[in-house]
Structures are given as C-alpha cells and as structure tokens.
Amino acid sequence: MASHRKSRPVGTRVAGIRTPALATAALTSVALLSQSANAAPADDRPSLEEVEKKVDDLYRQAESATDNYNAAKEKTTKQRKQVDTLLEDVAQRTQKLNEAREELGSFAAAQYRTGAAAPSTATLLLADSPQDYFDQTQLMGRLTSRQKGAVDDYVSEQSTTMKKRQEASQSLQTLTETQSDLKTAKATVQKKLADARELLSELTAQEKARLAAIERRKEQEAARKAAELAQQQAAAQKAAQGAAQEATAPQESTSTAPDSSYATKAAKVLAFARAQIGKPYVWGATGPDSYDCSGLTQAAWKAAGVDLPRVTYDQVNAGTTVSLADAQPGDLVFFYDDISHVGLYIGNGMMIHAPKPGAYVREESIYYDGESGIHSVVRPA
C-alpha cells in the first residue's frame, strides 16, 4: 500500500522556519563573510609598544643629528673667523701693493725724465710684474739700490698676496660646504622631532595613559638597578678600605678612585649641574637658560675650569675610561653604540642629564633606558 506521507522539502530550518536551498546558500555565504570580517584586524595601526620604540628611536636619531649640528656649528664659527682674518690680511696686503706700485711708478717716471729708460711708465705699470719688465728692458742695471729693493719687495709682496687670496678662496669654499652640512643636520633634527610628535599625537587618551604606565614601570626598574649598583659600589669601597688598613707596607695603588683634586673639581661640576635642574632640553643649546645633553656636561665641567669638546663623540675621548663599578661623582656616562647621549654621574647609580626634547634637566637612574644602553664611563680630569 502506497504511503500518503508527503516528501520533506529540501532545505533547512532557521528559527523554526523552513528555508529553500537558495536561501540556505545565501545564509551560509553571509555567515562566512561575517566570520572573515571578525577575523580580520580592525586596522593596521602599530601596537603601543611599537609606537613607543619608534618614538624612542626618533629621539635618539634626533640627538645623533644634534651632535652633527653642534659639530658643524662649531666648525662654521672657527672657519668664519679664519676667513675674516684672511680677507683682512688680503685687504692690507693689497693696499701695500698699491702703495708700492705708486712708488715704482715714480721711479720709472724719474728714469724717463733723465732719459735713463726709453720705455714708458705706462708700459711698466701694465706689465705682468715689475720683475718681468725690468728683466726684459735691462732697467734693473740702471736703478739705484733703493729702487732695486723696492722692486724686490713689490715682487715678493705680490706673490704672497696671490697665495693669500687663493687661501682665502679655498677657505670660503670650505665654509660654504660646512654651512651646507649645518643646514642638512638642522633639517634632519627637525624632521625626526616632527615625526615623533606626529606619532604621539595619533594616540588616544587611553593609549597615552597606557604609555605613561609603561614609562613608570621602566623608571621603577631603572631605580632598582641603580640601587643594586649603589650597594655593589659601597661594598667594593668598604672592601678596599679594609684591605688598605690590613696592608703592612705601602703598595702601589691600581685603583681608579679619583684623587682629592678630582673630587674638588667634581664637587663644582655637580653643584653647577644641580643648579640647572628644571631647565628645558633644547637641541643645540649650551645654556644658561636651556641645554642639550653635551651642552650641559660641557658647561658643568667649564664651571670647574675644564674645557670639554662640544659633542659627545669628542667628549668620550676627553679623559680616562673607567669601569661602571668604579664610576665616581663627576664622571661622564655615555649611552648607545653611536655615543649620542651623555649624563653626569652623581653616585648611587644616578646621574644628572638633559634627557630629550620636551623634557627638563633632571636626576635619573643611569639605567633609564636599560643596562644595554650604557656605552662607557669617562673621567675627564
């Protein structure tokens, strides 16, 4: 007996409603598209950690470019003085040549009046050099010793003046090239700082708060490392004092501890540096109202009567390198492989430095950017 049961339509139920095959396919496609959309990232913005690293890198690059700017600026100042001196010298020598030319003209005119010389005075004055003229006309034989001396002096002064003019021209060319380097370095600094500001401006309020929290954690870790170094240095100093007391005979010291004269200078250095705390970091600045990192260290040691070079990669060679464990107040602490930052060690793992644009001169752990950031320690005097 045949069944009277109706066949079930092809399709599936959705919320209790039967759907035809086409509707099922459409719903499946929508579901797949929805899953794909949910799996895709909301945007391609960098993570907060990536932004932080990029900003730090830009600030470091700006500091490196600042050193190039400072070096070019210092070089430009010296070269400009040299050019001014050379041009002044050339002007004075040219005046002397004009006076000597007039004197020679009067000699030639006198010779012409007495009939001693057939050639005209105009021929003498238009000659390439008096020496050439007198050699050609054999006039030298008819001149007095005074007149001959005047000719010799003129020829010598003319040769020297030409050399000085060439030297001044070369110096001017060098100055122009250095000024171009100065302009390039300045543009590089400004570009790096602008890029850093743009990255920071794109952060939301929530992201800025998270970034501040990351910075606080870094500061706490840096303070912990500074405290560890302070303990190590204190223990080493105590051990050295004990060994000295137990010694029965004087021995040659191999310690890098500074003598009393260094300690006196260092005290002046740190007194100056502490007085600058709170003043803004400004790239290229050497005080008194603002500083960059090497401008601060240079000014601080200047207060103790010691002249340091202007830029970090010259300052690092302006003293004796010591180990971090032997660092003493007043020493210079340099950072990064390109030696683009420097601070003044004040003891206990701390330093005074001008950190970066937007910041102020302050006391901070030498581990402010991690232990790997420390390049070397140098004792200037």
Side-chain angles (χ1 to χ4, degrees):
M1 179 175 176
S3 173
H4 296 285
R5 184 181 299 172
K6 294 182 179 179
S7 61
R8 179 174 296 179
V10 178
T12 59
R13 289 180 178 270
V14 177
I17 302 175
R18 289 179 178 174
T19 59
L22 288 176
T24 301
L27 286 172
T28 303
S29 299
V30 170
L32 290 173
L33 288 173
S34 177
Q35 292 174 1
S36 299
N38 290 335
D43 55 43
D44 57 354
R45 293 180 64 195
S47 68
L48 191 59
E49 290 73 16
E50 290 172 335
V51 171
E52 181 196 28
K53 184 180 185 306
K54 183 64 175 176
V55 169
D56 287 345
D57 287 344
L58 286 169
Y59 279 140
R60 283 181 53 188
Q61 292 168 19
E63 274 202 302
S64 182
T66 296
D67 264 348
N68 293 334
Y69 171 85
N70 291 337
K73 184 177 180 181
E74 188 176 44
K75 191 175 181 181
T76 297
T77 301
K78 292 179 180 178
Q79 288 176 347
R80 185 176 287 112
K81 289 180 180 179
Q82 182 182 17
V83 167
D84 290 344
T85 300
L86 285 170
L87 290 177
E88 184 178 357
D89 186 27
V90 167
Q92 292 175 352
R93 289 181 181 278
T94 300
Q95 179 62 30
K96 280 186 177 182
L97 278 176
N98 291 336
E99 294 172 355
R101 191 187 297 272
E102 291 176 1
E103 186 177 10
L104 289 177
S106 65
F107 290 160
Q111 292 287 346
Y112 180 76
R113 285 195 300 272
T114 59
S120 67
T121 302
T123 304
L124 171 66
L125 295 178
L126 292 175
D128 291 337
S129 75
Q131 186 66 59
D132 292 341
Y133 175 81
F134 289 124
D135 286 344
Q136 294 169 8
T137 62
Q138 298 180 349
L139 185 58
M140 287 293 288
R142 296 189 292 275
L143 295 178
T144 65
S145 59
R146 177 170 174 267
Q147 292 170 334
K148 290 179 181 179
V151 171
D152 290 340
D153 290 344
Y154 179 88
V155 172
S156 176
E157 188 66 28
Q158 186 184 51
S159 176
T160 302
T161 301
M162 289 179 65
K163 291 179 180 178
K164 290 294 182 180
R165 283 174 179 168
Q166 292 174 352
E167 188 177 347
S169 177
Q170 292 173 351
S171 294
L172 277 171
Q173 182 178 353
T174 302
L175 175 60
T176 300
E177 293 171 354
T178 304
Q179 287 175 327
S180 177
D181 293 340
L182 181 66
K183 184 178 180 180
T184 300
K186 180 177 181 179
T188 300
V189 174
Q190 291 174 331
K191 178 66 166 59
K192 299 298 182 183
L193 296 180
D195 288 347
R197 286 194 296 269
E198 183 178 357
L199 278 172
L200 292 173
S201 68
E202 294 173 352
L203 296 179
T204 65
Q206 184 180 9
E207 288 173 330
K208 289 178 180 179
R210 286 174 53 202
L211 188 60
I214 292 174
E215 289 297 324
R216 285 193 295 272
R217 287 196 297 270
K218 287 174 62 177
E219 290 173 3
Q220 291 169 357
E221 176 61 17
R224 186 187 67 79
K225 293 288 294 182
E228 285 183 0
L229 178 61
Q231 291 176 352
Q232 293 170 3
Q233 290 179 329
Q237 184 177 8
K238 184 176 180 180
Q241 290 174 345
Q245 292 174 355
E246 292 176 1
T248 56
Q251 296 179 356
E252 183 179 354
S253 174
T254 58
S255 172
T256 57
D259 56 24
S260 59
S261 63
Y262 180 83
T264 300
K265 292 177 182 177
K268 295 179 180 178
V269 170
L270 297 186
F272 177 91
R274 287 191 173 96
Q276 313 313 309
I277 290 176
K279 293 183 178 180
Y281 175 104
V282 174
W283 65 273
T286 57
D289 299 321
S290 58
Y291 298 89
D292 62 19
C293 65
S294 57
L296 176 64
T297 53
Q298 183 188 48
W301 270 99
K302 180 69 174 178
V306 177
D307 291 324
L308 291 182
R310 175 65 182 92
V311 296
T312 54
Y313 50 76
D314 287 332
Q315 289 184 4
V316 75
N317 296 316
T320 303
T321 301
V322 299
S323 68
L324 184 59
D326 289 325
Q328 296 288 337
D331 291 349
L332 302 176
V333 185
F334 294 91
F335 298 85
Y336 313 120
D337 292 339
D338 60 355
I339 317 174
S340 57
H341 189 67
V342 62
L344 287 163
Y345 192 65
I346 61 176
N348 297 324
M350 302 293 289
M351 67 178 173
I352 296 175
H353 70 148
K356 60 184 178 181
Y360 298 84
V361 176
R362 65 192 182 204
E363 290 187 14
E364 194 164 26
S365 167
I366 62 173
Y367 298 101
Y368 81 106
D369 201 20
E371 188 171 0
S372 62
I374 299 174
H375 178 275
S376 56
V377 181
V378 171
R379 188 157 299 152

